[in-house]
Amino acid sequence: MLSSRLKNVTPSVTVAISSKVKEMKSNRINVINLSIGEPDFTIPEKAKEYGKKSLDDNKTKYDLVAGILELREAICEKLNKENEISYTPDQIVLSSGAKNSITNTILAVTDPGDEILLPLPYWVSYSEIIKITNAIPIEVPTKKENNFKVTKSDLAKVVTDKTKMIVITNPSNPTGAVYTRDELMEIAEFCLEKGIYIIADEIYEKIRFNDSFVSIASLSENIKNITITINGFAKSVAMTGMRLGYTASNTEIAKAMSTIQSHIVSHPSLTSQYIGLGALRECEEDMNHMVQTYKKRCELITKRLDKIKNISYVEPSGAFYIFIDLSKVKEKYKYKNSFSVEFCQNFLEEEKVAVVPGEAFGIDEYIRISYACHEDEFLEGINRLEKYINKFI
Ligand SMILES: Cc1ncc(COP(=O)(O)O)c(C=O)c1O
């Protein structure tokens, strides 16, 4: 018998789609994969050098649970310079990816039965991590007119005396929307008033297309104290497989996370940490180049989508996704249970293009397209989407 904590946990939809794509490719079927949340760049050379040198120097033994001091210092410097938040190295805990950091945070702060608010649409893994930790995910409806950004009045409708945390993903996966300072201030003040912790998932923070990004923890000292900022190296430096993420939080929470981590994984891979250190110290230009490429792709893809009738999308200001509204297609489409899941399955079978169903993010009339791939690929994918949609409208 398996643990009851797994009762309602489902495997990642995006990972399932990627497996299907791999299977099709191994059968020599030419698939366009627009489902993946992974940069198509490689780790910058200067960062790799740090990893290679650490191996040559035999930095391969057990080390500090929270991560090597140089990297925690470099992260503090980055947060200070780029995000205007002042942290000390004892408030930074490195982990094996942002997923791991989110799990550490929830384990450190919640008790079984505590409620965690997830503004819709939300990244697939939050709800499942929350269930695994025996907390309860609570979906928060948001409005399309507000680009699905949650507001104080949305929150006021769902808060109970069990509410312990909220997750704010900024920039958002799946919409690419970015919150303004005023929007964040309103949410954060509400959380302060109600005694709710904020998980500020800022993993896409570098990938934004204008300069107005604000970190929640920078809003005030009190807000910083209730905020656990999640960040990592997967998206900004194309280090997905190196599994390196981190939290910045108050010292009490950081210590609690270190205690948990010390018993579960000890610390993230040392080689990955040195590569991350190289990235922060030497690779600003490489990261800027990646962001400029995503920005150009975003312009291309939105221009192309604007030419397709009967669909709309959330205007992205960051990340590398576009969340497309297919509610007009849904009205005409024949499906049994979930429109977006069946649409995506059939679209993959018939047009050989993989995209992610909106249902994976809690909103069924949408699909998510990733443009973390060559423009020829996503433009061809959109051509096929237009052709496929036109069969039904
Ligand atoms: C919003 C968000 N947070 C966290 C992660 C996970 O990052 P990592 O690969 O560092 O675990 C992802 C990955 O897709 C994501 O989209």
Side-chain angles (χ1 to χ4, degrees):
M1 271 294 271
L2 294 177
S3 161
S4 60
R5 76 177 69 236
L6 286 166
K7 217 167 34 197
N8 298 314
V9 177
T10 48
S12 163
V13 178
T14 42
V15 172
I17 295 168
S18 297
S19 310
K20 174 81 184 156
V21 169
K22 276 194 190 119
E23 186 194 313
M24 289 172 83
K25 282 188 172 166
S26 69
N27 289 332
R28 294 175 191 263
I29 300 171
N30 193 5
V31 187
I32 294 180
N33 190 1
L34 307 182
S35 71
I36 199 130
E38 177 164 46
D40 55 328
F41 296 101
T42 51
I43 300 174
E45 290 306 317
K46 284 185 190 154
K48 283 190 206 161
E49 288 305 324
Y50 272 64
K52 289 177 195 167
K53 180 163 185 319
S54 76
L55 288 173
D56 290 340
D57 292 345
N58 291 314
K59 298 211 166 133
T60 53
K61 305 285 187 192
Y62 286 137
D63 209 286
L64 297 177
V65 168
I68 55 172
L69 186 60
E70 300 102 294
L71 180 53
R72 285 183 288 131
E73 283 170 347
I75 289 169
C76 289
E77 222 176 287
K78 175 243 176 289
L79 289 169
N80 205 339
K81 194 173 107 204
E82 295 178 11
N83 307 80
E84 297 175 10
I85 329 171
S86 161
Y87 280 108
T88 46
D90 60 330
Q91 297 176 314
I92 308 297
V93 180
L94 283 140
S95 71
S96 300
K99 278 183 183 173
N100 192 179
S101 294
I102 295 163
T103 313
N104 283 344
T105 304
I106 296 173
L107 285 171
V109 175
T110 64
D111 284 313
D114 281 346
E115 294 176 354
I116 303 184
L117 305 181
L118 294 179
L120 281 159
Y122 54 83
W123 173 57
V124 277
S125 288
Y126 297 134
S127 53
E128 309 313 285
I129 294 173
I130 292 169
K131 288 185 231 163
I132 290 169
T133 59
N134 280 338
I136 301 173
I138 304 291
E139 295 186 344
V140 188
T142 57
K143 293 185 189 62
K144 185 188 174 190
E145 308 82 80
N146 198 34
N147 281 348
F148 295 113
K149 290 189 272 184
V150 74
T151 63
K152 176 178 164 178
S153 75
D154 298 328
L155 295 177
K157 291 180 196 143
V158 291
V159 166
T160 71
D161 54 5
K162 292 222 170 112
T163 309
K164 193 67 183 275
M165 302 188 98
I166 178 169
V167 181
I168 300 290
T169 317
N170 187 32
S172 159
N173 174 8
T175 66
V178 174
Y179 284 81
T180 65
R181 175 182 290 275
D182 289 349
E183 288 166 342
L184 292 174
M185 189 59 102
E186 186 190 82
I187 297 166
E189 280 181 345
F190 180 79
C191 291
L192 262 181
E193 186 191 313
K194 301 282 179 192
I196 299 170
Y197 286 98
I198 302 170
I199 293 188
D201 186 341
E202 298 183 356
I203 194 157
Y204 294 99
E205 154 244 12
K206 288 248 181 213
I207 308 170
R208 68 219 195 208
F209 309 142
N210 51 54
D211 290 331
S212 62
F213 180 82
V214 175
S215 280
I216 298 180
S218 72
L219 292 173
S220 77
E221 215 32 52
N222 286 343
I223 293 169
K224 179 181 148 194
N225 201 38
I226 58 162
T227 301
I228 301 96
T229 302
I230 308 285
N231 210 325
F233 295 78
K235 315 292 175 174
S236 56
V237 214
M239 276 175 58
T240 42
M242 303 314 298
R243 312 307 305 129
L244 190 62
Y246 63 87
T247 49
S249 67
N250 72 37
T251 314
E252 189 190 11
I253 295 176
K255 268 195 191 151
M257 286 194 279
S258 284
T259 304
I260 293 164
Q261 179 152 289
S262 70
H263 294 296
I264 299 181
V265 289
S266 293
H267 57 75
S269 145
L270 269 189
T271 317
S272 297
Q273 292 188 59
Y274 280 101
I275 298 174
L277 181 64
L280 285 185
R281 283 193 181 156
E282 315 258 359
C283 301
E284 195 59 37
E285 250 177 56
D286 300 84
M287 290 191 245
N288 288 341
H289 165 72
M290 294 183 206
V291 175
Q292 288 316 313
T293 309
Y294 293 129
K295 187 175 178 184
K296 196 175 137 237
R297 289 174 180 173
C298 181
E299 285 162 8
L300 278 173
I301 198 166
T302 49
K303 226 163 131 187
R304 176 67 186 91
L305 286 170
D306 287 342
K307 295 198 176 123
I308 304 182
K309 288 195 203 100
N310 296 310
I311 65 163
S312 62
Y313 56 85
V314 180
E315 192 76 44
S317 306
F320 37 62
Y321 307 111
I322 193 143
F323 202 46
I324 301 177
D325 182 352
L326 295 183
S327 42
K328 291 209 175 121
V329 182
K330 185 177 178 184
E331 283 166 21
K332 307 272 170 69
Y333 202 85
K334 284 203 173 55
Y335 61 94
K336 282 192 191 133
N337 300 311
S338 157
F339 159 72
S340 63
V341 170
E342 289 163 50
F343 178 93
C344 291
Q345 279 166 350
N346 296 335
F347 185 44
L348 178 58
E349 290 289 330
E350 290 178 36
E351 299 295 335
K352 315 288 181 263
V353 182
V355 299
V356 184
E359 191 175 275
F361 309 96
I363 303 194
D364 194 38
E365 317 60 74
Y366 282 73
I367 56 168
R368 188 198 75 179
I369 283 185
S370 161
Y371 49 89
C373 58
H374 193 278
E375 62 190 60
D376 291 347
E377 212 165 339
F378 63 71
L379 289 175
E380 176 55 23
I382 304 289
N383 288 343
R384 294 188 199 177
L385 179 68
E386 182 177 33
K387 184 174 138 213
Y388 187 66
I389 286 174
N390 282 341
K391 288 187 190 169
F392 305 98
I393 308 199

